[in-house]
Structures are given as C-alpha cells and as structure tokens.
Amino acid sequence: MKKDKFGKIKIQRVDPGQLNERLLLINLYITQGLTLIIGIIILFFQKRSVISLLQFPENYRFLLWGCGLAAAMFGVDFLLSRFVKEESLDDGGINEMLFRNRPVWHIAIICVIVSICEELLFRGAIQYGLGPYWTSIIFALIHVRYLRHWIPTGWVFLSSYALGYIYIQAGTLWAPIVCHFLIDFISGLVIKFRRGT
C-alpha cells in the first residue's frame, strides 16, 4: 500500500533568513486566504453579509478618509525613519523580499488582496464584536515580524486603531481598504525602485 505524502508535512517556525521569494509568496497567499475564510465565518456567526459589508458607497467621502489617513501615516512614517534607528524599524527583510523583484502589477494585486482580506476580517468582523482597541491589539500581534521592536509594534497598533476610526467615521469598509491599499502599494513601490540607491 502506498504511503500518504501528507503525513510528512510539518508546521514549524521559520526564520526569515530561511525563506525565499517563492516560499514567502505562497505563505502570503495562504495566510490571506485563511484571513478571508476566518472573516467570512465570523461574519456568518454575526449574521452579517459579506456582500452588504463590501457594497460600494454612493458618495466618495470615504476616499477623503482613506487617502487622508494614508497621507498622515506616510508623514509619521517619514518622521520615524528620520529620527529612529533603522534596525529599530526592521521587519527582518520580509517586505524587501516580497516587493523588491516583483513587477508593479503584481505588487498592486498583492496589495489589493491583503487590504480587502485583512480589513474584512479586522475592521469588518472582529471590530464589530470587540471594538477598535482590542482589534488593534490582535492586529499588532499577528504582525509577528515587528514584535521584536516596540516602535514598529506600537506603530502597527496605532495604524490599526486609525483604520478602525475611519471605518466608523466613513461608515464603509472601503475607507480602511483604500488606506491599507495605498500604504502597502506605495511602500512596495518605494522598496522596488529604491534598489539602486
């Protein structure tokens, strides 16, 4: 009888130095798929509809919230990069490996997927039950790569709280989705085109 190959699969902690670009990309898509599934399950138990949550708003006020927060976050990020040591902001090279050699269209696709999946779970589902404070704590904890340093961990918490705030103010999940997309996409482009400097 032929042995099942799935029995040999082990789940273990991987050091960022052990990752290659392909493995990182596979990991990203798997985790975002799980994020989406978990968000949909939570929404199901909350008796809320994914379709109504992602319904596109009639007015474009949400763009002001999303773009405004993204601009403010880039301003703070710029100040942090000027006054805080680079090693204190280090994510272990994960973002560099993810975006450095990607074409722009693929960076955009990654950022669309991440922003929709994460905002659906965190702002759309978890924040509904726990509020923005506890949601932001969970959001900071799942960004494990930043936990070695308190400044990026605190920044992820504050960013998450701000995303929750604009979700409440704009009344649509599209405000934090737009902001999350802009932050990730512009950061990805900076990493990609910064290579030669």
Side-chain angles (χ1 to χ4, degrees):
M1 185 172 223
K2 199 173 180 181
K3 270 193 166 181
D4 187 11
K5 291 183 180 180
F6 293 109
K8 295 180 181 180
I9 293 175
K10 286 188 213 174
I11 296 175
Q12 60 188 21
R13 187 173 178 212
V14 177
D15 186 275
Q18 297 173 299
L19 289 173
N20 60 37
E21 288 183 31
R22 183 175 177 272
L23 187 58
L24 179 61
L25 196 62
I26 290 168
N27 182 52
L28 174 91
Y29 285 128
I30 288 171
T31 56
Q32 292 307 308
L34 289 172
T35 299
L36 181 64
I37 290 167
I38 292 167
I40 290 169
I41 290 169
I42 292 172
L43 288 170
F44 174 78
F45 284 109
Q46 291 174 343
K47 295 182 170 57
R48 297 167 66 226
S49 164
V50 176
I51 294 168
S52 64
L53 199 58
L54 291 175
Q55 185 175 359
F56 207 74
E58 291 179 10
N59 69 40
Y60 293 96
R61 191 176 69 117
F62 75 95
L63 286 174
L64 295 174
W65 284 105
C67 296
L69 179 58
M73 289 169 74
F74 276 119
V76 172
D77 197 46
F78 177 77
L79 290 174
L80 281 174
S81 68
R82 290 287 173 248
F83 297 109
V84 177
K85 292 179 186 176
E86 192 172 334
E87 57 267 13
S88 295
L89 301 172
D90 183 34
D91 72 342
I94 299 292
N95 288 337
E96 185 82 20
M97 189 185 301
L98 184 62
F99 294 121
R100 180 182 55 228
N101 298 318
R102 276 296 150 245
V104 173
W105 65 265
H106 198 177
I107 292 172
I109 287 173
I110 288 170
C111 296
V112 166
I113 290 170
V114 168
S115 60
I116 291 174
C117 292
E118 289 188 3
E119 293 309 313
L120 183 74
L121 173 61
F122 288 97
R123 255 50 66 185
I126 296 175
Q127 183 169 310
Y128 180 81
L130 299 179
Y133 177 78
W134 289 105
T135 299
S136 299
I137 288 177
I138 295 168
F139 191 77
L141 289 175
I142 66 128
H143 286 79
V144 157
R145 65 186 187 267
Y146 297 115
L147 292 177
R148 292 180 299 153
H149 304 290
W150 69 270
I151 293 173
T153 301
W155 180 232
V156 170
F157 171 83
L158 290 173
S159 301
S160 174
Y161 196 85
L163 288 167
Y165 177 79
I166 68 167
Y167 172 45
I168 293 166
Q169 295 302 312
T172 175
L173 196 59
W174 286 102
I177 288 172
V178 165
C179 182
H180 198 146
F181 170 80
L182 288 173
I183 294 293
D184 289 354
F185 184 63
I186 294 170
S187 299
L189 293 181
V190 167
I191 290 168
K192 178 177 176 58
F193 293 113
R194 181 180 66 187
R195 281 190 296 179
T197 60

Short mmCIF file of all heavy atoms in Angstrom, two decimals, residues 48-101:
data_model
loop_
_atom_site.label_atom_id
_atom_site.label_comp_id
_atom_site.label_asym_id
_atom_site.label_seq_id
_atom_site.Cartn_x
_atom_site.Cartn_y
_atom_site.Cartn_z
N ARG A 48 -24.20 38.61 9.57
CA ARG A 48 -23.96 39.78 8.73
C ARG A 48 -23.49 39.31 7.36
O ARG A 48 -22.84 38.28 7.24
CB ARG A 48 -22.92 40.69 9.38
CG ARG A 48 -23.42 41.23 10.72
CD ARG A 48 -22.34 41.87 11.54
NE ARG A 48 -21.86 43.08 10.90
CZ ARG A 48 -20.57 43.37 10.76
NH1 ARG A 48 -19.65 42.56 11.21
NH2 ARG A 48 -20.21 44.49 10.18
N SER A 49 -23.77 40.10 6.35
CA SER A 49 -23.49 39.71 4.96
C SER A 49 -22.18 40.32 4.47
O SER A 49 -21.96 41.53 4.61
CB SER A 49 -24.64 40.17 4.07
OG SER A 49 -24.26 40.15 2.72
N VAL A 50 -21.33 39.49 3.87
CA VAL A 50 -20.09 39.97 3.26
C VAL A 50 -20.42 40.93 2.11
O VAL A 50 -19.77 41.96 1.94
CB VAL A 50 -19.26 38.78 2.72
CG1 VAL A 50 -18.01 39.28 2.00
CG2 VAL A 50 -18.88 37.84 3.84
N ILE A 51 -21.46 40.60 1.34
CA ILE A 51 -21.84 41.41 0.18
C ILE A 51 -22.27 42.81 0.61
O ILE A 51 -21.84 43.81 0.04
CB ILE A 51 -22.94 40.71 -0.64
CG1 ILE A 51 -22.39 39.43 -1.25
CG2 ILE A 51 -23.49 41.63 -1.73
CD1 ILE A 51 -23.40 38.50 -1.82
N SER A 52 -23.09 42.90 1.66
CA SER A 52 -23.52 44.23 2.10
C SER A 52 -22.36 45.00 2.74
O SER A 52 -22.28 46.22 2.61
CB SER A 52 -24.70 44.13 3.07
OG SER A 52 -24.32 43.48 4.26
N LEU A 53 -21.46 44.30 3.40
CA LEU A 53 -20.31 44.94 4.01
C LEU A 53 -19.37 45.53 2.94
O LEU A 53 -18.78 46.58 3.14
CB LEU A 53 -19.54 43.92 4.86
CG LEU A 53 -18.58 44.46 5.91
CD1 LEU A 53 -19.29 45.38 6.89
CD2 LEU A 53 -17.93 43.31 6.64
N LEU A 54 -19.27 44.85 1.81
CA LEU A 54 -18.40 45.31 0.72
C LEU A 54 -19.15 46.10 -0.35
O LEU A 54 -18.59 46.38 -1.41
CB LEU A 54 -17.67 44.12 0.09
CG LEU A 54 -16.60 43.45 0.96
CD1 LEU A 54 -16.05 42.22 0.28
CD2 LEU A 54 -15.49 44.42 1.32
N GLN A 55 -20.39 46.44 -0.07
CA GLN A 55 -21.16 47.25 -1.03
C GLN A 55 -20.48 48.60 -1.21
O GLN A 55 -20.13 49.27 -0.25
CB GLN A 55 -22.59 47.44 -0.54
CG GLN A 55 -23.47 48.15 -1.54
CD GLN A 55 -24.91 48.19 -1.05
OE1 GLN A 55 -25.25 47.68 0.01
NE2 GLN A 55 -25.76 48.83 -1.82
N PHE A 56 -20.28 48.97 -2.46
CA PHE A 56 -19.57 50.22 -2.75
C PHE A 56 -20.46 51.40 -2.42
O PHE A 56 -21.62 51.44 -2.82
CB PHE A 56 -19.15 50.25 -4.23
CG PHE A 56 -17.94 51.08 -4.47
CD1 PHE A 56 -16.68 50.62 -4.09
CD2 PHE A 56 -18.03 52.33 -5.05
CE1 PHE A 56 -15.55 51.38 -4.31
CE2 PHE A 56 -16.92 53.09 -5.27
CZ PHE A 56 -15.67 52.62 -4.90
N PRO A 57 -19.96 52.39 -1.67
CA PRO A 57 -20.80 53.52 -1.26
C PRO A 57 -21.16 54.44 -2.43
O PRO A 57 -20.45 54.50 -3.43
CB PRO A 57 -19.92 54.27 -0.25
CG PRO A 57 -18.54 53.82 -0.51
CD PRO A 57 -18.61 52.47 -1.14
N GLU A 58 -22.28 55.13 -2.27
CA GLU A 58 -22.74 56.03 -3.34
C GLU A 58 -21.94 57.32 -3.39
O GLU A 58 -21.70 57.86 -4.45
CB GLU A 58 -24.23 56.34 -3.15
CG GLU A 58 -25.11 55.14 -3.39
CD GLU A 58 -26.58 55.44 -3.16
OE1 GLU A 58 -26.95 56.63 -3.01
OE2 GLU A 58 -27.37 54.48 -3.14
N ASN A 59 -21.54 57.85 -2.24
CA ASN A 59 -20.72 59.07 -2.27
C ASN A 59 -19.25 58.69 -2.09
O ASN A 59 -18.92 57.60 -1.65
CB ASN A 59 -21.17 60.11 -1.24
CG ASN A 59 -20.91 59.69 0.18
OD1 ASN A 59 -19.88 59.12 0.50
ND2 ASN A 59 -21.87 59.98 1.06
N TYR A 60 -18.39 59.62 -2.42
CA TYR A 60 -16.95 59.34 -2.42
C TYR A 60 -16.23 59.95 -1.22
O TYR A 60 -15.01 60.12 -1.25
CB TYR A 60 -16.34 59.82 -3.74
CG TYR A 60 -16.84 59.00 -4.90
CD1 TYR A 60 -17.92 59.43 -5.67
CD2 TYR A 60 -16.26 57.77 -5.18
CE1 TYR A 60 -18.39 58.65 -6.71
CE2 TYR A 60 -16.72 56.99 -6.22
CZ TYR A 60 -17.78 57.44 -6.98
OH TYR A 60 -18.24 56.67 -8.01
N ARG A 61 -16.97 60.24 -0.17
CA ARG A 61 -16.38 60.79 1.05
C ARG A 61 -15.38 59.83 1.66
O ARG A 61 -14.39 60.24 2.28
CB ARG A 61 -17.51 61.11 2.04
CG ARG A 61 -17.11 61.91 3.24
CD ARG A 61 -18.33 62.23 4.09
NE ARG A 61 -18.83 61.02 4.72
CZ ARG A 61 -18.88 60.81 6.02
NH1 ARG A 61 -18.50 61.76 6.85
NH2 ARG A 61 -19.33 59.70 6.52
N PHE A 62 -15.60 58.53 1.47
CA PHE A 62 -14.68 57.53 2.03
C PHE A 62 -13.28 57.68 1.46
O PHE A 62 -12.29 57.35 2.12
CB PHE A 62 -15.22 56.11 1.77
CG PHE A 62 -15.06 55.64 0.35
CD1 PHE A 62 -13.96 54.87 -0.02
CD2 PHE A 62 -16.01 55.96 -0.61
CE1 PHE A 62 -13.82 54.43 -1.33
CE2 PHE A 62 -15.87 55.52 -1.91
CZ PHE A 62 -14.77 54.76 -2.27
N LEU A 63 -13.17 58.21 0.23
CA LEU A 63 -11.85 58.41 -0.36
C LEU A 63 -11.05 59.47 0.40
O LEU A 63 -9.84 59.35 0.56
CB LEU A 63 -11.96 58.81 -1.83
CG LEU A 63 -12.36 57.71 -2.81
CD1 LEU A 63 -12.60 58.27 -4.20
CD2 LEU A 63 -11.31 56.61 -2.84
N LEU A 64 -11.76 60.49 0.89
CA LEU A 64 -11.09 61.52 1.69
C LEU A 64 -10.55 60.91 2.99
O LEU A 64 -9.42 61.21 3.38
CB LEU A 64 -12.06 62.66 2.01
CG LEU A 64 -12.55 63.48 0.82
CD1 LEU A 64 -13.60 64.49 1.27
CD2 LEU A 64 -11.38 64.19 0.15
N TRP A 65 -11.35 60.07 3.63
CA TRP A 65 -10.89 59.41 4.85
C TRP A 65 -9.71 58.50 4.56
O TRP A 65 -8.69 58.54 5.26
CB TRP A 65 -12.03 58.61 5.49
CG TRP A 65 -13.02 59.45 6.21
CD1 TRP A 65 -14.29 59.77 5.78
CD2 TRP A 65 -12.86 60.10 7.47
NE1 TRP A 65 -14.91 60.56 6.71
CE2 TRP A 65 -14.06 60.79 7.75
CE3 TRP A 65 -11.82 60.16 8.39
CZ2 TRP A 65 -14.24 61.51 8.92
CZ3 TRP A 65 -12.00 60.89 9.55
CH2 TRP A 65 -13.20 61.56 9.81
N GLY A 66 -9.84 57.66 3.54
CA GLY A 66 -8.78 56.69 3.22
C GLY A 66 -7.49 57.36 2.77
O GLY A 66 -6.41 57.04 3.27
N CYS A 67 -7.60 58.30 1.83
CA CYS A 67 -6.40 58.99 1.31
C CYS A 67 -5.80 59.91 2.36
O CYS A 67 -4.58 60.02 2.48
CB CYS A 67 -6.75 59.77 0.04
SG CYS A 67 -7.27 58.72 -1.33
N GLY A 68 -6.66 60.57 3.14
CA GLY A 68 -6.18 61.47 4.19
C GLY A 68 -5.39 60.73 5.25
O GLY A 68 -4.31 61.17 5.66
N LEU A 69 -5.92 59.59 5.70
CA LEU A 69 -5.20 58.82 6.71
C LEU A 69 -3.90 58.27 6.14
O LEU A 69 -2.87 58.27 6.82
CB LEU A 69 -6.07 57.68 7.26
CG LEU A 69 -5.39 56.79 8.32
CD1 LEU A 69 -4.92 57.61 9.52
CD2 LEU A 69 -6.32 55.67 8.75
N ALA A 70 -3.93 57.81 4.89
CA ALA A 70 -2.70 57.30 4.26
C ALA A 70 -1.64 58.39 4.22
O ALA A 70 -0.47 58.15 4.55
CB ALA A 70 -3.00 56.78 2.85
N ALA A 71 -2.02 59.61 3.84
CA ALA A 71 -1.07 60.73 3.80
C ALA A 71 -0.51 61.02 5.19
O ALA A 71 0.71 61.22 5.35
CB ALA A 71 -1.74 61.97 3.22
N ALA A 72 -1.37 61.02 6.20
CA ALA A 72 -0.93 61.27 7.57
C ALA A 72 0.03 60.17 8.04
O ALA A 72 1.06 60.44 8.68
CB ALA A 72 -2.13 61.36 8.51
N MET A 73 -0.29 58.92 7.70
CA MET A 73 0.56 57.80 8.10
C MET A 73 1.92 57.86 7.41
O MET A 73 2.95 57.55 8.03
CB MET A 73 -0.15 56.47 7.81
CG MET A 73 -1.32 56.22 8.75
SD MET A 73 -2.37 54.85 8.26
CE MET A 73 -1.36 53.46 8.67
N PHE A 74 1.95 58.27 6.15
CA PHE A 74 3.24 58.43 5.47
C PHE A 74 4.05 59.55 6.10
O PHE A 74 5.28 59.45 6.19
CB PHE A 74 3.05 58.68 3.97
CG PHE A 74 2.88 57.42 3.18
CD1 PHE A 74 1.72 57.18 2.47
CD2 PHE A 74 3.87 56.45 3.16
CE1 PHE A 74 1.55 56.01 1.75
CE2 PHE A 74 3.72 55.27 2.45
CZ PHE A 74 2.55 55.06 1.74
N GLY A 75 3.38 60.60 6.54
CA GLY A 75 4.08 61.68 7.23
C GLY A 75 4.74 61.21 8.51
O GLY A 75 5.92 61.49 8.77
N VAL A 76 3.99 60.46 9.33
CA VAL A 76 4.55 59.92 10.57
C VAL A 76 5.65 58.92 10.26
O VAL A 76 6.71 58.92 10.92
CB VAL A 76 3.43 59.26 11.43
CG1 VAL A 76 4.03 58.53 12.62
CG2 VAL A 76 2.42 60.31 11.87
N ASP A 77 5.45 58.08 9.25
CA ASP A 77 6.45 57.10 8.86
C ASP A 77 7.75 57.79 8.43
O ASP A 77 8.85 57.35 8.76
CB ASP A 77 5.90 56.21 7.74
CG ASP A 77 6.71 54.95 7.58
OD1 ASP A 77 7.01 54.29 8.60
OD2 ASP A 77 7.06 54.61 6.43
N PHE A 78 7.62 58.89 7.70
CA PHE A 78 8.78 59.66 7.26
C PHE A 78 9.54 60.19 8.48
O PHE A 78 10.77 60.10 8.55
CB PHE A 78 8.34 60.82 6.35
CG PHE A 78 9.46 61.71 5.93
CD1 PHE A 78 10.34 61.32 4.94
CD2 PHE A 78 9.64 62.95 6.54
CE1 PHE A 78 11.39 62.14 4.55
CE2 PHE A 78 10.68 63.78 6.17
CZ PHE A 78 11.57 63.37 5.17
N LEU A 79 8.81 60.73 9.46
CA LEU A 79 9.45 61.24 10.67
C LEU A 79 10.14 60.12 11.45
O LEU A 79 11.25 60.30 11.95
CB LEU A 79 8.42 61.95 11.55
CG LEU A 79 7.89 63.27 11.03
CD1 LEU A 79 6.78 63.79 11.93
CD2 LEU A 79 9.01 64.31 10.92
N LEU A 80 9.47 58.97 11.55
CA LEU A 80 10.08 57.83 12.24
C LEU A 80 11.37 57.42 11.57
O LEU A 80 12.37 57.15 12.25
CB LEU A 80 9.11 56.64 12.27
CG LEU A 80 7.98 56.67 13.30
CD1 LEU A 80 7.05 55.49 13.09
CD2 LEU A 80 8.53 56.67 14.71
N SER A 81 11.37 57.38 10.24
CA SER A 81 12.58 56.95 9.51
C SER A 81 13.71 57.95 9.67
O SER A 81 14.88 57.60 9.53
CB SER A 81 12.26 56.73 8.03
OG SER A 81 11.95 57.96 7.41
N ARG A 82 13.41 59.20 9.98
CA ARG A 82 14.43 60.24 10.16
C ARG A 82 15.03 60.24 11.56
O ARG A 82 16.19 60.54 11.74
CB ARG A 82 13.85 61.63 9.87
CG ARG A 82 13.53 61.87 8.43
CD ARG A 82 14.81 62.04 7.62
NE ARG A 82 14.52 62.10 6.21
CZ ARG A 82 14.86 61.17 5.33
NH1 ARG A 82 15.46 60.08 5.72
NH2 ARG A 82 14.57 61.31 4.05
N PHE A 83 14.20 59.90 12.57
CA PHE A 83 14.65 60.06 13.95
C PHE A 83 14.86 58.75 14.71
O PHE A 83 15.33 58.77 15.84
CB PHE A 83 13.65 60.94 14.72
CG PHE A 83 13.56 62.33 14.17
CD1 PHE A 83 12.43 62.75 13.47
CD2 PHE A 83 14.61 63.22 14.30
CE1 PHE A 83 12.34 64.03 12.95
CE2 PHE A 83 14.54 64.50 13.78
CZ PHE A 83 13.41 64.91 13.10
N VAL A 84 14.50 57.61 14.10
CA VAL A 84 14.64 56.33 14.77
C VAL A 84 15.64 55.49 14.00
O VAL A 84 15.65 55.50 12.77
CB VAL A 84 13.26 55.61 14.85
CG1 VAL A 84 13.40 54.24 15.48
CG2 VAL A 84 12.26 56.45 15.64
N LYS A 85 16.49 54.77 14.73
CA LYS A 85 17.49 53.92 14.08
C LYS A 85 16.81 52.90 13.18
O LYS A 85 15.78 52.34 13.53
CB LYS A 85 18.32 53.19 15.14
CG LYS A 85 19.21 54.09 15.94
CD LYS A 85 19.97 53.26 16.97
CE LYS A 85 20.77 54.16 17.88
NZ LYS A 85 21.42 53.39 18.94
N GLU A 86 17.45 52.63 12.04
CA GLU A 86 16.86 51.73 11.04
C GLU A 86 16.63 50.33 11.60
O GLU A 86 15.63 49.69 11.31
CB GLU A 86 17.76 51.66 9.80
CG GLU A 86 17.09 50.97 8.63
CD GLU A 86 17.91 51.07 7.37
OE1 GLU A 86 18.71 52.02 7.22
OE2 GLU A 86 17.75 50.18 6.52
N GLU A 87 17.56 49.85 12.44
CA GLU A 87 17.40 48.49 12.99
C GLU A 87 16.21 48.39 13.94
O GLU A 87 15.65 47.31 14.13
CB GLU A 87 18.68 48.00 13.67
CG GLU A 87 19.19 48.87 14.78
CD GLU A 87 20.22 49.90 14.33
OE1 GLU A 87 20.39 50.12 13.13
OE2 GLU A 87 20.85 50.50 15.21
N SER A 88 15.77 49.52 14.49
CA SER A 88 14.58 49.51 15.35
C SER A 88 13.29 49.38 14.55
O SER A 88 12.24 49.07 15.11
CB SER A 88 14.52 50.80 16.18
OG SER A 88 15.60 50.85 17.06
N LEU A 89 13.35 49.65 13.25
CA LEU A 89 12.17 49.56 12.39
C LEU A 89 12.21 48.32 11.50
O LEU A 89 11.33 48.12 10.67
CB LEU A 89 12.06 50.82 11.51
CG LEU A 89 11.95 52.15 12.26
CD1 LEU A 89 12.04 53.31 11.28
CD2 LEU A 89 10.67 52.21 13.06
N ASP A 90 13.23 47.48 11.69
CA ASP A 90 13.46 46.33 10.81
C ASP A 90 12.39 45.26 10.96
O ASP A 90 12.00 44.92 12.07
CB ASP A 90 14.84 45.75 11.13
CG ASP A 90 15.21 44.59 10.23
OD1 ASP A 90 14.82 44.61 9.04
OD2 ASP A 90 15.88 43.67 10.71
N ASP A 91 11.93 44.74 9.84
CA ASP A 91 10.95 43.65 9.84
C ASP A 91 11.58 42.32 9.46
O ASP A 91 10.89 41.38 9.09
CB ASP A 91 9.78 43.98 8.91
CG ASP A 91 10.16 43.90 7.44
OD1 ASP A 91 11.37 43.92 7.13
OD2 ASP A 91 9.24 43.81 6.60
N GLY A 92 12.91 42.26 9.51
CA GLY A 92 13.60 41.02 9.15
C GLY A 92 13.80 40.86 7.66
O GLY A 92 14.14 39.79 7.19
N GLY A 93 13.55 41.91 6.89
CA GLY A 93 13.74 41.85 5.44
C GLY A 93 12.58 41.26 4.67
O GLY A 93 12.66 41.03 3.46
N ILE A 94 11.45 41.02 5.35
CA ILE A 94 10.29 40.39 4.72
C ILE A 94 9.73 41.27 3.60
O ILE A 94 9.50 40.80 2.48
CB ILE A 94 9.19 40.07 5.75
CG1 ILE A 94 9.71 39.10 6.82
CG2 ILE A 94 7.93 39.54 5.08
CD1 ILE A 94 10.01 37.72 6.32
N ASN A 95 9.48 42.55 3.91
CA ASN A 95 8.91 43.43 2.88
C ASN A 95 9.86 43.60 1.70
O ASN A 95 9.43 43.65 0.54
CB ASN A 95 8.57 44.81 3.48
CG ASN A 95 7.36 44.74 4.38
OD1 ASN A 95 6.53 43.85 4.26
ND2 ASN A 95 7.25 45.68 5.29
N GLU A 96 11.14 43.68 1.99
CA GLU A 96 12.16 43.80 0.93
C GLU A 96 12.09 42.59 0.00
O GLU A 96 12.07 42.71 -1.22
CB GLU A 96 13.54 43.91 1.57
CG GLU A 96 14.66 44.16 0.61
CD GLU A 96 14.80 45.62 0.20
OE1 GLU A 96 14.31 46.51 0.92
OE2 GLU A 96 15.40 45.86 -0.85
N MET A 97 12.05 41.39 0.59
CA MET A 97 11.99 40.17 -0.20
C MET A 97 10.68 40.06 -0.98
O MET A 97 10.65 39.58 -2.11
CB MET A 97 12.14 38.95 0.71
CG MET A 97 12.32 37.64 -0.04
SD MET A 97 12.37 36.19 1.04
CE MET A 97 13.76 36.57 2.09
N LEU A 98 9.60 40.54 -0.38
CA LEU A 98 8.29 40.42 -1.02
C LEU A 98 8.16 41.34 -2.23
O LEU A 98 7.61 40.95 -3.25
CB LEU A 98 7.19 40.73 0.00
CG LEU A 98 5.76 40.57 -0.48
CD1 LEU A 98 5.48 39.13 -0.89
CD2 LEU A 98 4.79 41.00 0.61
N PHE A 99 8.65 42.58 -2.12
CA PHE A 99 8.40 43.57 -3.16
C PHE A 99 9.57 43.86 -4.10
O PHE A 99 9.37 44.36 -5.20
CB PHE A 99 7.96 44.89 -2.52
CG PHE A 99 6.65 44.81 -1.81
CD1 PHE A 99 6.55 45.11 -0.46
CD2 PHE A 99 5.50 44.43 -2.48
CE1 PHE A 99 5.33 45.04 0.21
CE2 PHE A 99 4.27 44.36 -1.83
CZ PHE A 99 4.19 44.66 -0.49
N ARG A 100 10.78 43.58 -3.68
CA ARG A 100 11.97 44.02 -4.41
C ARG A 100 11.97 43.63 -5.90
O ARG A 100 12.21 44.46 -6.76
CB ARG A 100 13.23 43.46 -3.72
CG ARG A 100 14.53 43.84 -4.39
CD ARG A 100 15.71 43.22 -3.69
NE ARG A 100 15.55 41.77 -3.59
CZ ARG A 100 15.73 41.07 -2.49
NH1 ARG A 100 16.07 41.67 -1.38
NH2 ARG A 100 15.57 39.77 -2.49
N ASN A 101 11.69 42.39 -6.22
CA ASN A 101 11.78 41.92 -7.61
C ASN A 101 10.43 41.70 -8.28
O ASN A 101 10.36 41.08 -9.34
CB ASN A 101 12.60 40.62 -7.66
CG ASN A 101 14.02 40.84 -7.19
OD1 ASN A 101 14.65 41.85 -7.53
ND2 ASN A 101 14.54 39.92 -6.39
#
